[in-house]
Amino acid sequence: MTQFVFTELFGGAVLAIEDLDPTTVAPVGGSTLTMPSGPSRNPAGAVVVAEMTRHRIAAADLGAGWTRFGTRGSGAGHFERPAATAFLSDGTMLVLDAGNCRIVRIEDIAG
């Protein structure tokens, strides 16, 4: 079984689909986000997305609500229009912080 995660940029939904079977489409996080983009999965399987116009990152396990991280700015823990997320093999998260023209490494979103 292969599961894909995608976002509905203007509608705010984050959705998962198994084996590209349209009958398996399910929402992630329990609520919509503001302009979600660049979804990825962390090594534990949680879905992580950039919330562009809220200038933060959101993460959710399937069936759970969103946990959010970050505020607007250019320092540590700050983003300006984050556009995408990804994970390295060691679990380190990368965020494409488009408005600040940088890639941010985050070791632990929980703190």
Side-chain angles (χ1 to χ4, degrees):
M1 173 178 69
T2 302
Q3 188 176 69
F4 297 93
V5 177
F6 59 98
T7 63
E8 183 183 47
L9 184 64
F10 295 109
V14 179
L15 304 163
I17 186 171
E18 294 178 10
D19 295 325
L20 299 179
D21 176 356
T23 65
T24 66
V25 174
V28 176
S31 63
T32 59
L33 300 174
T34 304
M35 293 190 75
S37 71
S40 63
R41 284 192 178 274
N42 72 13
V47 174
V48 180
V49 299
E51 199 172 5
M52 292 178 66
T53 57
R54 295 288 175 116
H55 311 284
R56 62 188 177 192
I57 305 304
D61 291 316
L62 291 179
W66 294 109
T67 299
R68 292 171 173 91
F69 170 80
T71 58
R72 188 175 197 171
S74 59
H78 296 97
F79 305 101
E80 182 70 33
R81 293 198 178 266
T85 62
F87 285 87
L88 299 176
S89 60
D90 67 359
T92 299
M93 181 170 51
L94 302 177
V95 177
L96 173 58
D97 187 8
N100 286 316
C101 300
R102 65 183 182 172
I103 295 177
V104 178
R105 292 175 60 103
I106 300 172
E107 303 294 329
D108 181 7
I109 194 171

